[in-house]
Each structure stands twice: as structure tokens, then as C-alpha cells.
Amino acid sequence: MFVRTATASTAAAAVLGAGALLLPAAQPQETSARTPDRQAGPLVVAHRGASGYAPENTLAAADAAKALGIDWVENDVHRTKDGVLVVLHDTGLKRTTDVEEVFPDRAPWAVKDFTAAEVAKLDAGSWFGARFAGARVPTLTQFVNRLERNRQKLLLEIKSPATYPGIERDILRVLGTAGWLDRSHVRDRLVIQSFGAASVKQVHALRPDVTTGFLGTPAVTDLPAYAAFTDQINPSYTTIGADYVAAVQRLKGPHGKRLRVNTWTVNDAANAAKVHAWGVDGIITNYPDVVRDATR
């Protein structure tokens, strides 16, 4: 879902050059993970951080979102060979790191085949731009600590859960240790989502208080079954329209609130305005400034 575009605002470029769920609120003075503020427009979520401006899923991308004034950051989580949770999109390390150079004999370079210490040696920034050389693949602990420092919020995606049996429990353990499962974080600052329905169900079973999201576009007739364990249906914008958004929002999720629709990955003003008109609750984007400006 990573696409670079020329639609980014010049103001954003200036800010980043100098300094470098879904989930809106019921009332204007509060931004909640479960209650939207229609007056303010859809919630804008920085996809893998502000990944149009910094290498995806790095601390720099979280900081870039912060520089743009974006509270919500989406990320992706995998597990290393020795059980450490790391923030990376692909199941492999090849696309966004220099793993081929550092470990040339380890193809296909799957995350699950490397230890955390080995992953920590990799450059996860040079592929995006020379000024990001030396950026590392963060652990989940490092990532949430940075969000905490930035006073940001997290939409966490469990990637390829079948590859990592028990990863839901591991994620909750790390989040708990980092202080992200207390009442304030669970209420307003955390959503866990996945394309795997079984994984979302498992999170809901382990921590019924945590807001969850299902990534995909279930048939309208199947939506009531999803509403039993997820608070959000988060589809690609290319698969939905106003009727689908309305069908989702007619249902209530496990917390007694209406289901949310947070769509991805919208990177231009025209499509942002279109999905806003459909009534989506949130928009996940590599260019959060562009989407914000188009929907306010």
C-alpha cells in the first residue's frame, strides 16, 4: 500500500525538512477510539507513520507524523526467531532494509528466521533516502515508547498471525509492560487490528476491553458475525461505497457502540474527499497532511 505522490503540501515539506482508529471522539474536546466527531471530519491515521515523508514503520516516520500534528499512527508487528516483536510491514526484510548485503547467504530473509540482534544491525532508512541512513527496525517496545514520548496513539496491525502462533498474547504482554493496557490507553489511545479474523477474535477474548478492528471488506450479510468481536471494519477504499459504509455503521460492536469504518490507503485529495462524502470514520494514509486538508 506504499505509494509516493506529488500531492503533499509544501508546508508539510518545510516542517519535515526543518525537523527532520478508528477512532474519533464523541465530543469536540476529546478524541476517543470509539466515538466520532463528525464536525471535525474523519480521523486521519498516519499509515506506517507518515510514510510519504520518512521510511515506513521507523521511529522517524512516527516523528514525521508528530511534526504534521497527527496523533494516530498505524504500524505492523512481526516476531523474530528469538521471540522479540519488531515493527515492519513485510514478512521479509529485503524490501526495506540492507539485509541482502549484511546477510547475503540467508535468503529469503524472513523476519522469523532472524534474531532480534541480527535485525538490529540492519539499515532500514537508506532505501528511502540518504538522510535516513542508519535508521533501524524498531522493536514494538521502542516504537510504543516513542509514541508515548510524542503523546501519540497507536493502530497496531498483527501481520501474518498464522506465521507466529500466540503472537496476540505476546503483543498484549509487551503493551502491558510498556503501560499501554491501562485504562486511559485502552479507552483512547489503542486499537489492534488484523486481516486474520481468528487473530482479532483472540485479542478480544484475551482483553475484551481493547478496541479491535478487522481489515477487509466482509459481505454485508456477514457483518453481524464480525460485530460480535470487532469494533471496526477497516477496508480498502477501492472495495467500498456509501452503501457499504452505512451498512457497517448500522451495527453495534462488542462494546455497544456502532461499528466504525476506517479505510485505507488514501493518498490524494480527490479520493480523500470522496470517502469523506461516503461517511467513513477514519482515513489511513501515507500523506496525512494531504488528507486532513482535503476533509476539513
Side-chain angles (χ1 to χ4, degrees), residues 35 68 81 96 154 283:
T35 316
L68 292 170
K81 183 177 181 179
T96 58
L154 177 61
I283 302 174

Side-chain angles (χ1 to χ4, degrees), residues 29-145:
Q29 67 268 27
E30 180 187 6
T31 301
S32 163
R34 293 175 188 152
T35 316
D37 176 12
R38 285 293 183 187
Q39 297 295 322
L43 189 75
V44 178
V45 181
H47 182 234
R48 310 177 198 172
S51 57
Y53 302 109
E56 63 183 63
N57 276 320
T58 62
L59 302 183
D63 291 344
K66 176 66 175 178
L68 292 170
I70 301 300
D71 289 337
W72 280 94
V73 174
E74 186 263 0
N75 76 356
D76 308 282
V77 177
H78 293 266
R79 190 171 64 202
T80 64
K81 183 177 181 179
D82 53 343
V84 176
L85 300 179
V86 293
V87 177
L88 189 84
H89 179 268
D90 300 357
T91 55
L93 295 154
K94 179 178 176 180
R95 180 175 64 86
T96 58
T97 78
D98 60 350
V99 68
E100 285 186 274
E101 299 172 22
V102 179
F103 299 103
D105 301 323
R106 301 277 294 277
W109 301 287
V111 177
K112 67 181 179 63
D113 295 331
F114 286 77
T115 66
E118 290 171 334
V119 172
K121 295 177 181 179
L122 304 176
D123 181 335
S126 292
W127 70 274
F128 189 89
R131 71 190 182 97
F132 295 105
R136 301 301 174 189
V137 175
T139 65
L140 179 58
T141 297
Q142 290 168 338
F143 199 88
V144 296
N145 286 345

